[in-house]
Amino acid sequence: MACGGRRPEHRGPPELFYNEDEARKYTHNSRMIEIQTQMSERAVELLSLPEDQPCFLLDVGCGSGLSGDFISEQGHYWVGIDISSAMLDVAVDREVEGDLLKGDMGQGIPFRPGSFDGCISISAVQWLCNADQRMHNPAKRLHRFFSSLYSALARGARAVLQLYPENAEQLELITTQAMKAGFTGGMVVDFPNSTKAKKFFLCLFVGPSGVLPTGLGTECGDEQERKESKFSKERLRYKTAKGKSLKKSRDWILEKKERRRRQGKEVRADTRYTGRKRRPHF
């Protein structure tokens, strides 16, 4: 795609593109929120985390914390890093449960070795392929990111990075730098024959290479693929996680309040009205 201003990376560096107006979309645009949530759920699914065991995850390019919301709903703990102050301000206003850090992933992940049980990233890594400053070298910044990420992950952990590559050359640049940093793994492509539903997930392993997951919609025709894509969208919206309470239900609210208490946060006492739908006022 030519630099015609259509791709966000072509409009300026991320810390300027994701200003207050853009950040506000992640709280008001229902379509954008839905897509972000779906990709986050798929990324966590590809991590293949152990069941019934809370894990400590890193969210690279966490933005307004939508991905972190899903991580918290699954009973895990997380830290998010993002370069945009406006997006992080939205996350703070939304009172997300994870810890937030402002930082440039191209300068490396500033955490101790083996800190995390896994990592996800939604729509962020492709930004490193652009030189926004004269001193920026995309290959070096990608290698610094992947090297520090490899160190920050525990042995046997996975990183699942959803991205929008501009072309085959950009995709090769990203995967090459990941492998140079020590990762094994590869690209998982969901619905490869669909223009709208097609999604790229770079699935990386720390240590011996595991079995690369199969992409969704890879064994069906166009008509079946459209049906599966539509069914998957509805299923992701309404289904409950394994053993987890339905979102916004009373049990879900009580579980969320209990997690916040364990984190030392001030939470209102539970009453018989907790989780009860309020009657509209006219």
Side-chain angles (χ1 to χ4, degrees):
M1 183 184 298
C3 183
R6 296 178 60 187
R7 291 179 64 94
E9 310 95 271
H10 295 160
R11 304 179 192 179
E15 62 270 28
L16 298 182
F17 175 79
Y18 289 105
N19 53 26
E20 292 183 2
D21 292 336
E22 191 70 22
R24 198 175 297 116
K25 296 178 182 178
Y26 287 82
T27 58
H28 293 80
N29 189 317
S30 59
R31 176 60 178 163
M32 188 175 292
I33 293 172
E34 179 184 26
I35 293 175
Q36 184 84 6
T37 301
Q38 290 177 7
M39 292 191 296
S40 301
E41 181 169 353
R42 177 60 170 155
V44 173
E45 177 185 350
L46 291 172
L47 284 179
S48 297
L49 299 172
E51 294 185 13
D52 302 321
Q53 178 181 328
C55 296
F56 189 41
L57 305 179
L58 174 64
D59 183 4
V60 176
C62 64
S64 63
L66 291 175
S67 299
D69 285 346
F70 179 76
I71 293 174
S72 296
E73 290 171 15
Q74 301 304 295
H76 303 301
Y77 302 95
W78 59 280
V79 172
I81 182 172
D82 202 283
I83 197 172
S84 167
S85 297
M87 293 292 277
L88 292 174
D89 287 343
V90 171
V92 172
D93 291 341
R94 294 180 61 248
E95 297 183 344
V96 297
E97 296 185 16
D99 294 320
L100 303 172
L101 173 68
K102 182 181 178 182
D104 177 7
M105 59 181 172
Q107 295 182 358
I109 303 299
F111 295 100
R112 294 179 179 178
S115 296
F116 298 98
D117 301 311
C119 169
I120 68 167
S121 178
I122 307 298
S123 311
V125 176
Q126 71 270 5
W127 285 89
L128 292 178
C129 296
N130 294 271
D132 296 315
Q133 299 179 22
R134 182 175 299 179
M135 65 185 70
H136 283 179
N137 181 303
K140 290 183 178 180
R141 283 170 56 79
L142 280 165
H143 187 265
R144 189 177 299 115
F145 164 66
F146 283 119
S147 297
S148 57
L149 177 61
Y150 186 91
S151 174
L153 292 172
R155 185 168 179 80
R158 292 187 183 188
V160 177
L161 316 176
Q162 184 276 328
L163 64 152
Y164 291 105
E166 184 173 0
N167 48 46
E169 290 75 16
Q170 193 175 94
L171 196 60
E172 182 177 1
L173 173 63
I174 293 172
T175 53
T176 297
Q177 296 305 319
M179 301 309 160
K180 283 184 177 181
F183 284 107
T184 56
M187 191 67 66
V188 176
V189 183
D190 285 353
F191 307 108
N193 300 316
S194 172
T195 303
K196 293 184 178 180
K198 186 176 183 179
K199 293 292 183 295
F200 291 85
F201 293 87
L202 183 58
C203 192
L204 303 173
F205 308 116
V206 178
S209 179
V211 178
L212 196 65
T214 303
L216 300 177
T218 56
E219 298 179 356
C220 55
D222 291 343
E223 184 64 26
Q224 180 64 26
E225 182 176 285
R226 284 194 291 270
K227 291 181 180 178
E228 184 172 346
S229 177
K230 182 178 180 181
F231 170 77
S232 176
K233 184 182 299 181
E234 297 298 320
R235 176 179 62 83
L236 290 175
R237 185 186 302 173
Y238 295 113
K239 80 169 188 177
T240 58
K242 297 179 181 178
K244 303 296 179 181
S245 303
L246 184 66
K247 188 173 183 180
K248 302 301 182 182
S249 67
R250 174 180 169 82
D251 289 339
W252 180 85
I253 292 173
L254 291 174
E255 290 170 3
K256 185 173 183 179
K257 291 175 72 174
E258 183 59 30
R259 285 198 302 271
R260 292 199 170 191
R261 290 191 184 101
R262 291 198 299 266
Q263 294 174 352
K265 297 181 180 180
E266 185 176 349
V267 181
R268 290 184 179 180
D270 300 333
T271 70
R272 60 175 177 163
Y273 300 106
T274 300
R276 178 179 295 184
K277 292 186 176 179
R278 306 183 187 277
R279 294 180 181 178
H281 295 283
F282 299 100

